[in-house]
Amino acid sequence: HFPGHGDTSVDSHIDLPVVSHDLGRLRSLELKPFAEAIKNGADAVMVAHILMSKLDTKAPASFSPAVITDLLRNEMGYKGVVITDDLTMGAIVKNGDIGQVAVKAIKAGADVLLVGHGFDAETKVFDAVKNAVGSGTLEEALIDSSVYRILKLKEKYGITDVKKTSVDLEAINAELKTALRGLREH
């Protein structure tokens, strides 16, 4: 939950939290784990629905160019996939139109729009993005950049569109047990 969700008193599932820390404070505490994750090759970062009032007085981090593009991508050098937190959360639906927010999130630098609840919400987001590209409100180059990052990530993990006929649960469980054993030993 970039740039840090630990110092909020409001649950973003219900309403929009506001954090008034300046960049100095964020760099000294909240951004440290993200900087380490980026340094160690984090594949994806989820951006939180938090209004970082010293960085952007109007847009929550999840659709703020100051947070996603300026801070995360430019200053911190993050090149991977950026995903929004769920756009159906109270922090969003109580404070704006989900379709307009989706377009703003892409403009701000998000690659994946998480819509966790409701076919109508999914459709509204899809249609808003499609219409924004069609009208020129969203540049195709932004979509292309996102698609490239997503495809690069899928390639890294061997994710394809080839339908799997079965899943070897025993092999997956054995791999998980080995990985967990390795974590416990460290």
Side-chain angles (χ1 to χ4, degrees), residues 1-7 25-50 52 61 67 71-73 75-83:
H1 289 88
F2 185 84
H5 213 307
D7 201 11
R25 158 62 194 255
L26 292 172
R27 287 183 188 119
S28 72
L29 185 64
E30 285 85 358
L31 296 178
K32 285 188 178 270
F34 294 101
E36 279 299 308
I38 291 167
K39 186 171 85 176
N40 288 289
D43 292 319
V45 170
M46 177 181 281
V47 185
H49 301 316
I50 301 173
M52 306 301 292
V67 174
L71 179 59
L72 179 60
R73 292 218 187 267
E75 181 180 321
M76 298 182 76
Y78 182 65
K79 305 285 186 234
V81 172
V82 172
I83 183 170

Side-chain angles (χ1 to χ4, degrees), residues 91-138:
I92 298 302
V93 297
K94 282 186 175 180
N95 296 294
D97 175 79
I98 192 171
Q100 291 174 355
V101 167
V103 171
K104 289 177 183 178
I106 292 172
K107 282 183 167 184
D111 300 305
V112 176
L113 305 169
L114 179 59
V115 182
H117 304 282
F119 181 74
D120 290 343
E122 293 168 3
T123 302
K124 192 168 189 177
V125 165
F126 180 83
D127 289 344
V129 171
K130 186 172 102 178
N131 291 337
V133 171
S135 71
T137 304
L138 264 180

Side-chain angles (χ1 to χ4, degrees), residues 84-97:
T84 67
D85 205 344
D86 184 0
L87 296 178
T88 64
M89 291 167 57
I92 298 302
V93 297
K94 282 186 175 180
N95 296 294
D97 175 79

Side-chain angles (χ1 to χ4, degrees), residues 43 68-69 73 78-82 106 108-112 141-156:
D43 292 319
I68 299 174
T69 298
R73 292 218 187 267
Y78 182 65
K79 305 285 186 234
V81 172
V82 172
I106 292 172
D111 300 305
V112 176
L142 278 177
I143 303 296
D144 292 344
S145 295
S146 291
V147 168
Y148 174 76
R149 282 189 285 273
I150 294 164
L151 289 174
K152 193 171 156 187
L153 182 59
K154 288 174 80 170
E155 180 181 51
K156 177 179 178 180

